[in-house]
C-alpha cells in the first residue's frame, strides 16, 4: 500500500483492535509504516495513568511488529528505528527487554558513526530523556553532534531538545555555559515562533539552569507567554508561573490574561495549578478579585478532594492580601467543616499558617485554638523545620493577641508566655524611609519641636508604632517623654506602597490587623497612606495635610 494512503487510513482508526485488524489485512509494510503503526497504538492506548489495556502487548500482530524491530534493527531506516523506539517507550515496554536493548544499541551505534540527521538527533534525545535515567555520556554525545551543525539554523524543536538535555547534564554537575550563551542568543530571535509547550519548557530550563543573566530572553519569553495562557496545559502553566517567580517577573498583561482564563477553567484546572496561581498572586501581592472569587467558588465545590497543602494554598492568600470574597460566609463555613474532619492530617506549620491567615481578615478559628496553644502541638512545631523561629512565634503571639482583644468570650488555654514575643516586625511592616522622613519633617513644621512626637515606638503589645503623639485631657500636645496626664495617644501609620497590595489601595492583612489592634489597645489610629502624601510638593503642604488629618477639629481655626 502507498505510504500516504496507509497513514491516512491509520490516523482515522481510534482503537487498537481496529488498528490490528487493518494491519493484518496488509501483506507488506515498510519499517516507517510499522513504526507509524506502533506510534498510533501508543496514541490511542496510553493516557496520563499509563497503558489502558496491557493485554494488547500479547496480541499476535503487535508481537509480529516487535519481532521485525528486534531482529532486523540494523536494516531499519533512521526514521523507522527512532520512531519505533519512541513509541515503545510511550507504551512502557521494559527498557531491559531484548527488543529495547537492540533498538537502543543500534541507535547509539549510528550516533557514534555520525549517521543521524538533526531531526534524528532530536528524536533520539527526546526518547532518552523520556526513559528517565539516561546516561549523560549519550546525551552529551547528542549535544556534541548538534553543535557540529549550524546552531543559527536550529529549529525550535532542536533548541528545546538541547535545553532539556542541558538540564539533565546540569543535574550531574556539568554546566556548558558557552553553549548556553549561544543557545540563549539564538532562542531570543525565535521567541515569536514558539508555541505553548516550547515556551514553557524553555522558561523551565532557564530557571533550572540558573540563567539569571539572560534578562532579555527571559523578559521576551514572559511577554510571549501571555498569548499562550489559555492554551497551556496545567503542568506548562505551573512551569511558567514558577519561572515568573524565580526571575522576578511581573507583567500586568500576564495578570490580565490569568484573570480571563482562570475563572472559566477553575473547575477543570488541577488543584495544584490553582495552588500555584494563588501562590503567584500572594508572592507578587496581586489582589485579583476575578481570580480570588473564582478560587473561593472552586474551594466550596472541591475542598473535600484537596490535600491539606492545597487547602492552605487556596485560603492563605485571602488573609495575606486582606480580601473577603462575596461568598465569604460559605467559604469559611466550608473551611471549618473541612478542618473539623481533617485537622489531624495537617502538618503543624501548615495549620498555623492557615489559622493565622484567617485572623488577619477577622475570621476567628476559636474551635481550633485550644489545639494550637497546647504544649503537645507547640512541641511538634518546634520539632519540625523551621521550628519556633521569630516568624512562627510572632504568628502565635498575634493569634493569642487576637483572641484576647477580639474574642473576649474565648475561655480555652492561653499561650504560655515563653512562646510570646514582645515585638517582631512582619515581612512588609517596616516603614517607607522616604515617606517617614517626609512626615517627620512636616510634623516638625507643624508642632515646632521634635520633643512632641516619637518615631518607631515599641509598645508593650507586640506592635511598633511608626509615629506616636500624646495629648492631655484638653487636647494639647505633650512631650513624648511625659508619662503623667496622658489622656490620648495617637498612632500615625505611615503606610508606604509595601503595605498595600500591588497597584491597589487595599492594605495587606498584616497591616490591617495591626491598625485594628492598636485601636482596641486604646490608640487613635491615623493612617497616612503614600497615595495621599507623595504628591505634596513642599514641607508647608505636608504640614497642612498632617494638621487636617491629625487635628481636624482645630484645622482652619488659625
Amino acid at each position: 500500500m502507498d505510504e500516504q494512503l496507509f497513514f491516512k487510513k491509520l490516523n482515522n482508526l481510534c482503537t487498537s483492535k481496529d488498528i490490528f485488524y487493518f494491519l493484518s489485512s496488509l501483506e507488506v509494510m515498510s519499517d516507517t509504516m510499522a513504526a507509524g503503526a506502533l506510534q498510533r497504538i501508543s496514541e490511542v492506548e496510553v493516557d496520563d495513568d499509563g497503558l489502558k489495556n496491557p493485554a494488547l502487548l500479547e496480541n499476535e500482530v503487535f508481537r509480529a511488529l516487535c519481532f521485525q524491530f528486534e531482529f532486523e534493527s540494523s536494516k531499519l531506516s533512521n526514521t523507522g528505528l527512532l520512531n519505533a523506539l519512541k513509541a515503545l517507550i510511550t507504551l512502557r515496554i521494559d527498557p531491559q527487554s531484548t527488543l529495547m536493548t537492540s533498538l537502543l544499541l543500534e541507535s547509539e551505534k549510528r550516533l557514534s558513526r555520525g549517521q543521524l540527521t538533526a531531526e534524528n538527533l532530536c528524536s533520539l534525545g527526546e526518547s532518552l530523556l523520556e526513559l528517565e535515567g539516561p546516561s549523560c555520556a549519550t546525551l552529551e554525545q547528542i549535544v556534541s553532534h548538534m553543535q557540529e551543525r549550524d546552531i543559527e539554523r536550529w529549529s525550535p524543536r532542536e533548541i528545546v531538545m538541547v535545553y532539556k538535555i542541558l538540564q539533565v547534564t546540569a543535574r550531574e554537575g556539568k554546566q556548558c555555559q558557552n553553549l548556553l550563551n549561544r543557545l540563549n542568543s539564538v532562542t531570543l530571535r525565535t521567541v515569536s515562533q514558539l508555541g505553548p509547550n516550547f515556551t514553557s519548557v524553555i522558561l523551565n530550563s532557564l530557571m533550572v539552569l540558573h540563567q539569571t543573566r539572560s534578562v532579555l530572553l527571559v523578559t521576551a519569553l514572559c511577554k510571549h507567554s501571555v498569548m499562550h495562557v489559555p492554551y497551556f496545559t496545567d503542568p506548562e502553566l505551573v512551569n511558567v508561573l514558577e519561572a515568573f517567580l524565580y526571575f522576578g517577573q511581573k507583567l500586568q498583561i500576564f495578570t490580565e490574561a490569568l484573570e480571563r482564563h482562570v475563572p472559566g477553567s477553575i473547575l477543570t484546572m488541577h488543584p495544584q495549578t490553582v495552588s500555584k496561581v494563588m501562590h503567584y498572586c500572594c508572592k507578587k501581592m496581586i489582589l485579583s478579585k476575578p481570580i480570588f472569587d473564582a478560587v473561593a467558588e472552586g474551594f466550596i465545590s472541591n475542598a473535600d478532594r484537596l490535600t491539606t497543602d492545597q487547602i492552605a494554598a487556596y485560603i492563605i492568600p485571602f488573609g495575606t492580601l486582606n480580601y473577603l470574597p462575596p461568598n465569604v460566609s460559605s467559604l469559611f463555613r466550608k473551611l471549618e467543616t473541612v478542618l473539623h474532619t481533617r485537622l489531624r492530617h495537617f502538618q503543624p506549620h501548615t495549620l498555623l499558617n492557615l489559622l493565622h491567615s484567617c485572623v488577619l481578615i477577622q475570621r476567628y478559628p476559636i474551635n481550633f485554638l485550644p489545639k494550637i496553644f497546647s504544649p503537645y502541638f507547640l512541641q511538634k512545631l518546634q520539632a519540625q523545620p523551621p521550628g519556633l523561629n521569630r516568624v512562627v512565634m510572632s504568628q502565635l503571639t498575634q493569634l493569642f493577641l487576637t483572641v484576647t482583644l477580639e474574642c473576649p468570650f474565648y475561655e480555652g488555654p492561653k499561650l504560655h508566655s515563653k512562646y510570646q514575643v514582645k515585638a517582631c516586625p512582619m515581612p512588609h511592616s517596616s516603614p517607607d524611609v522616604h515617606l517617614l522622613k517626609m512626615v517627620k519633617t512636616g510634623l516638625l513644621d507643624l508642632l515646632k519641636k521634635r520633643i512632641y512626637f516619637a518615631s518607631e515606638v515599641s509598645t508593650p503589645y507586640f506592635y511598633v508604632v511608626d509615629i506616636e503623639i500624646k495629648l492631655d485631657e484638653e487636647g494639647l500636645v505633650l512631650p513624648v517623654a511625659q508619662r503623667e496626664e496622658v489622656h490620648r495617644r495617637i498612632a500615625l501609620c505611615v503606610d508606604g506602597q509595601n503595605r498595600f497590595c500591588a497597584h491597589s489601595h487595599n492594605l495587606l492583612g498584616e497591616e490591617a490587623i495591626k491598625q485594628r489592634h492598636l485601636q482596641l489597645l486604646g490608640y487613635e489610629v491615623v493612617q497616612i497612606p503614600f497615595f495621599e502624601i507623595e504628591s505634596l510638593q513642599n514641607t508647608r503642604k505636608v504640614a497642612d495635610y498632617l494638621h487636617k488629618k491629625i487635628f481636624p477639629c482645630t484645622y482652619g481655626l488659625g
Side-chain angles (χ1 to χ4, degrees), residues 51-65:
L51 191 60
K52 296 178 194 173
N53 177 22
L56 74 86
L57 302 181
E58 302 303 319
N59 180 281
E60 60 181 23
V61 177
F62 181 82
R63 290 170 70 86
L65 284 172

Side-chain angles (χ1 to χ4, degrees), residues 440 443-444 447 449-454 467-469 480:
K440 284 157 67 172
L443 278 176
L444 190 57
L447 303 177
K449 289 186 180 179
R450 184 68 176 80
I451 61 168
Y452 292 120
F453 63 93
I467 293 177
E468 184 181 53
I469 299 171
V480 287

Side-chain angles (χ1 to χ4, degrees), residues 275 299 303-316 334-358 365 368 371-372 376-378 380-381 384-385:
S275 299
F299 183 83
D304 297 324
R305 296 192 288 275
L306 302 179
T307 66
T308 54
D309 283 343
Q310 288 165 355
I311 290 167
Y314 274 54
I315 298 298
I316 287 173
K334 183 66 178 180
L335 176 61
E336 186 166 13
T337 303
V338 170
L339 286 173
H340 272 300
T341 56
R342 299 171 64 184
L343 192 67
R344 62 191 178 87
H345 297 134
F346 280 83
Q347 290 297 313
H349 287 282
T350 304
L351 182 60
L352 177 61
N353 289 333
L354 176 59
L355 298 185
H356 177 258
S357 73
C358 292
F368 310 105
K371 177 184 175 72
I372 297 292
Y376 174 68
F377 183 81
L378 294 168
K380 285 175 70 179
L381 270 179
Q384 292 185 8

